[in-house]
Amino acid sequence: MRAVSEQANLKRLRATDIRERAGELGKQSDVDALKEWGRTGVRFAAAGGPLEQVYYAALRRLLDCIVPTCDRGAILHEGGVYLGCWLESTGTINAELLSRFIPSVAEATYACFADLQREDGLMPYKITAQGPVFKQIQLVTPLARSVWNHYCLNGRPEAFLARMYPAMQRFDHWLAEWRNTRGTGCVEAFCTFDTGHDLSPRFWHVPDTPHLNDPKRYDPASPVLPFLAPDLTANVYCQRLYLARIAEELGEGGNGWRQKAHESLESLFRYCYDPDDHFFYDLDRNGQLVRIQSDVLLRVLACEVGDGEFFGQALRAYLLNTRKFFAKYPFTSIAMDDPRFDPFSSYNTWAGTTNFLSLIRTPHAFEHHHRHVELTWIMQPIVSAMIRMQRFSQALSPWTGAEGYTEAYSPSILCVLDYVERLCGIMPMPDGRLAFTGLLPYPMDHGEAVAEETAYSRAVRGTEYELVNTREGGTVYRDRQEHIRFPFGVRVVTENNGRLAQVIGMQNGAVQGTIIYEGRELPVTVKGNERLEYRDGCLVSTYDPGVIHPVY
C-alpha cells in the first residue's frame, strides 16, 4: 500500500508545473523570480488536505512582495501596508529564508542596505521607493548571520562577502559610538521603534521615535530613557561572532571581533539578566528592570546567547509554558499571565498576539540547540492554522489561529514555505548538508486534514532530489532512482553529494524501523532529538539530550 501511495504522490509532484501554479504574472520581476525559483527545483505536492493549495498561493503572493526599488533592481518588500524593506525583518530573517528559494533577490536585498548606508556608518532602518530612511535603528535578527548563511548556501560568492563586510563593520562602529551613552557596553533603545515593538507595554510612556527624529538622540526629559536593551545587545553580540567568521573568510583576523562579542555578552548578563527569573529585561535610566516578559527572550536566544542547558531552562520556564508563551498557537509576544497581555490581532501590535516575525525567527533558536522535537510542537499548530489562511496576515490569534492585521505580508508567506520545508521537505543547510524530514502535518484543529501525504523536490548542484512522505515512512529519490528509505518520524541528513551522514529523531518517544541505503538494511532505534552518525556502515549514537516537555 505504501509503494502505491508513494508512486501516486511522486507522479503528482513530477507533473507539477510551477509556472502554471503561480498563475498570471503582473510584472517582469515576477517572471524573473519565478524562473529562478524553477532553477532550485523546488516543488511541493500534498494529498488529503488543502496545504498544497495554500503553499502555491503563498508562492504567488511572494512574487507581489518582490519589487524593483530605488533603481537597484528587484528586492524583497515587507508586504501588506508596509511599503518598503525593513532591516529588522525584510533585510535579515526574511531574506535569509528567501535565500533558499530566490537567492538573487535575497542578495540584492542585503546589498541595498550596504549601498545606501549613511556616510557616518548608520544603515537605513528601511528602504522605500523614495529612498533610504534613517529615523531609528530597528534591529532584531543579526544581519551578519543572515549574510553568512546566504554566502554558505549559495556557492560562497566572495565578492558579495567583501561588499557586505565593511558596511557591517562601519555600522558596528556607529552603534558603539552613538548607542552606548551610559558606557555599559549594552546597546541602548531610544524609542519603541528601535526594536519594532509597536504598542508593546515594554515601551509604555516611551516615544515611538527618537528625539526630533534623530537616531543619535533620545528625549532628554524622559524619566526612563535610554533603556539598556537586551535584544539590541544580543543582536550586536551575535553580529560580532559572525563578523569574526567573515573576517577570517576574507583573510583577516577574527579574534578582535570575538573579544568584542565577549564584551557584549558580559554586558548583556551584567545589566539585563535577572538570574532569579531566568529572563532578560530592559534596564531603565534609574537602574530599574522593566519587568515585562516579552518575546525579547526568544530574540536573545535566536542570537545564540547561552548554551544548551540555558536554552533548556528557558523552554521549561517560558517557551513551553502554557501560562507564559506557549499558547494554542504559539508564541505570544507578551507572557499570557501578565495583566497587560492583549490577545487581539486586528491591528499592528506586539502586546500579546502571535506575530509571524516571531514564528520565522523561532527555528534558528531551536535548531541551534538541537531541539528539533520541541520545534515541531510550535510548527504543527501553526501549519494547521495556515490551511485557513487567505490573506497572509501579519499575526494570528493565539486563541483561534484566525488571521489578523494586514495582508500579503512576506514574513507569513515565507513562514508557509519555510515550515513546509522543515517539516516534510528537503532543506539545504549552511554547512552544505541536506535535511530530509520524514514528518507530516498533524490535524490539530477539529481533526481537519492538513495533508495526509506529501512530496517535495529540490535540485542541488545539478542533482535532483525528491522526498515522498507517508504515515509509514519517507523515501528519497536521487535523479529519479530510489536512494534512501527510512521510517516515519526521523530526519535523514546527507552530505551535499547525497551520502548518508546522520539520522535524527524528530518526534517524542523512540522510533524503530529500518533504513534502506546502498542496498543494505540498517536497523534503527532513535529517540527524540537523538543524533545517530553513519560510520563504517553502522549508525552510532553521538548526541542524546532528551526531550523537554510542556509545562502549565
Side-chain angles (χ1 to χ4, degrees), residues 27 29-30 32-33 61-79 82-87 90-91 94-95 98 102-116 124 126-132 163 410 414:
K27 56 188 187 298
S29 60
D30 295 350
D32 297 338
R61 300 308 292 270
L62 176 63
L63 299 178
D64 294 338
C65 296
I66 296 172
V67 184
T69 306
C70 293
D71 299 321
R72 294 173 182 274
I75 65 171
L76 184 64
H77 279 215
E78 193 78 359
Y82 303 102
L83 303 178
C85 178
W86 269 252
L87 181 60
T90 339
N94 299 14
L98 189 66
I102 310 176
S104 73
V105 174
E107 187 165 319
T109 304
Y110 296 132
C112 261
F113 285 94
D115 294 347
L116 297 173
K126 73 174 178 179
I127 299 166
T128 71
Q130 288 72 46
R163 183 182 188 182
S410 65
L414 288 160

Side-chain angles (χ1 to χ4, degrees), residues 65-284:
C65 296
I66 296 172
V67 184
T69 306
C70 293
D71 299 321
R72 294 173 182 274
I75 65 171
L76 184 64
H77 279 215
E78 193 78 359
V81 299
Y82 303 102
L83 303 178
C85 178
W86 269 252
L87 181 60
E88 68 150 330
S89 48
T90 339
T92 48
I93 185 59
N94 299 14
E96 186 173 327
L97 301 185
L98 189 66
S99 288
R100 306 205 306 261
F101 303 99
I102 310 176
S104 73
V105 174
E107 187 165 319
T109 304
Y110 296 132
C112 261
F113 285 94
D115 294 347
L116 297 173
Q117 187 174 32
R118 211 162 70 175
E119 286 187 6
D120 66 354
L122 178 62
M123 281 189 176
Y125 86 90
K126 73 174 178 179
I127 299 166
T128 71
Q130 288 72 46
V133 186
F134 297 95
K135 189 162 57 176
Q136 63 245 15
I137 56 174
Q138 205 152 337
L139 302 177
V140 183
T141 298
L143 176 60
R145 188 196 89 196
S146 298
V147 165
W148 176 257
N149 287 341
H150 175 85
Y151 171 75
C152 293
L153 283 167
N154 291 285
R156 306 178 82 86
E158 191 166 307
F160 165 68
L161 214 55
R163 183 182 188 182
M164 295 299 300
Y165 176 68
M168 295 187 291
Q169 185 178 40
R170 289 193 298 272
F171 192 27
D172 182 89
H173 291 164
W174 189 94
L175 290 167
E177 181 175 3
W178 295 105
R179 289 305 184 100
N180 184 29
T181 65
R182 294 165 63 179
T184 63
C186 292
V187 181
E188 295 166 356
F190 289 179
C191 64
T192 303
F193 290 171
D194 275 342
T195 68
H197 263 142
D198 303 47
L199 295 186
S200 171
R202 173 189 182 187
F203 288 106
W204 280 357
H205 313 296
V206 169
D208 284 342
T209 56
H211 187 55
L212 303 179
N213 290 331
D214 182 350
K216 295 178 180 179
R217 302 174 69 184
Y218 61 89
D219 177 9
S222 169
V224 293
L225 290 178
F227 283 175
L228 306 184
D231 44 352
L232 298 181
T233 305
N235 176 288
V236 168
Y237 160 72
C238 192
Q239 279 261 115
R240 289 171 167 177
L241 290 180
Y242 281 87
L243 284 169
R245 297 188 192 187
I246 292 169
E248 289 171 347
E249 189 77 2
L250 294 173
E252 301 182 17
N255 287 340
W257 284 119
R258 290 191 181 89
Q259 177 59 34
K260 287 183 176 182
H262 177 71
E263 292 167 2
S264 292
L265 188 65
E266 283 193 328
S267 296
L268 172 68
F269 276 93
R270 180 179 179 183
Y271 294 104
C272 299
Y273 181 65
D274 184 333
D276 294 329
D277 287 358
H278 193 74
F279 210 91
F280 296 93
Y281 302 104
D282 299 294
L283 188 72
D284 76 5

Side-chain angles (χ1 to χ4, degrees), residues 168-490:
M168 295 187 291
Q169 185 178 40
R170 289 193 298 272
F171 192 27
D172 182 89
H173 291 164
W174 189 94
L175 290 167
E177 181 175 3
W178 295 105
R179 289 305 184 100
N180 184 29
T181 65
R182 294 165 63 179
T184 63
C186 292
V187 181
E188 295 166 356
F190 289 179
C191 64
T192 303
F193 290 171
D194 275 342
T195 68
H197 263 142
D198 303 47
L199 295 186
S200 171
R202 173 189 182 187
F203 288 106
W204 280 357
H205 313 296
V206 169
D208 284 342
T209 56
H211 187 55
L212 303 179
N213 290 331
D214 182 350
K216 295 178 180 179
R217 302 174 69 184
Y218 61 89
D219 177 9
S222 169
V224 293
L225 290 178
F227 283 175
L228 306 184
D231 44 352
L232 298 181
T233 305
N235 176 288
V236 168
Y237 160 72
C238 192
Q239 279 261 115
R240 289 171 167 177
L241 290 180
Y242 281 87
L243 284 169
R245 297 188 192 187
I246 292 169
E248 289 171 347
E249 189 77 2
L250 294 173
E252 301 182 17
N255 287 340
W257 284 119
R258 290 191 181 89
Q259 177 59 34
K260 287 183 176 182
H262 177 71
E263 292 167 2
S264 292
L265 188 65
E266 283 193 328
S267 296
L268 172 68
F269 276 93
R270 180 179 179 183
Y271 294 104
C272 299
Y273 181 65
D274 184 333
D276 294 329
D277 287 358
H278 193 74
F279 210 91
F280 296 93
Y281 302 104
D282 299 294
L283 188 72
D284 76 5
R285 70 184 298 169
N286 308 304
Q288 293 188 98
L289 291 173
V290 183
R291 292 187 179 277
I292 308 292
Q293 292 183 345
S294 72
D295 71 305
V296 160
L297 175 63
L298 182 61
R299 292 178 173 198
V300 170
L301 295 171
C303 288
E304 303 179 10
V305 169
D307 59 14
E309 181 180 351
F310 187 86
F311 187 73
Q313 289 176 326
L315 290 182
R316 294 182 184 94
Y318 295 102
L319 297 182
L320 296 182
N321 186 333
T322 63
R323 291 181 64 88
K324 296 293 185 179
F325 298 97
F326 197 42
K328 178 173 172 60
Y329 300 91
F331 288 118
T332 58
S333 45
I334 294 290
M336 289 175 281
D337 61 355
D338 190 303
R340 291 155 289 199
F341 172 77
D342 173 9
F344 294 104
S345 56
S346 57
Y347 43 89
N348 174 25
T349 173
W350 287 80
T353 191
T354 298
N355 274 279
F356 271 103
L357 267 174
S358 287
L359 291 172
I360 61 175
R361 291 166 181 152
T362 294
H364 184 81
F366 280 70
E367 297 272 6
H368 181 72
H369 292 292
H370 314 289
R371 289 292 167 185
H372 310 286
V373 174
E374 293 87 344
L375 178 59
T376 67
W377 301 339
I378 286 81
M379 293 196 296
Q380 288 284 15
I382 299 301
V383 174
S384 280
M386 283 173 177
I387 64 170
R388 303 193 298 274
M389 289 170 59
Q390 297 179 349
R391 293 185 288 106
F392 299 100
S393 64
Q394 173 181 327
L396 294 175
S397 163
W399 302 155
T400 69
E403 289 188 279
Y405 181 67
T406 201
E407 61 183 341
Y409 185 61
S410 65
S412 61
I413 292 165
L414 288 160
C415 191
V416 172
L417 305 179
D418 180 55
Y419 278 25
V420 165
E421 188 161 279
R422 288 181 189 276
L423 195 65
C424 55
I426 305 167
M427 186 173 69
M429 299 189 291
D431 65 4
R433 293 181 170 186
L434 297 173
F436 301 82
T437 306
L439 294 173
L440 288 169
Y442 196 87
M444 299 292 289
D445 296 347
H446 309 288
E448 184 178 1
V450 180
E452 294 176 353
E453 297 176 351
T454 63
Y456 198 95
S457 66
R458 180 178 276 279
V460 181
R461 293 178 174 84
T463 300
E464 180 188 38
Y465 291 94
E466 297 162 313
L467 170 64
V468 182
N469 281 329
T470 70
R471 290 288 170 192
E472 287 70 45
T475 305
V476 177
Y477 293 83
R478 187 172 186 266
D479 287 335
R480 306 214 164 185
Q481 300 296 314
E482 186 174 310
H483 181 50
I484 305 173
R485 187 175 285 263
F486 57 92
F488 183 83
V490 306

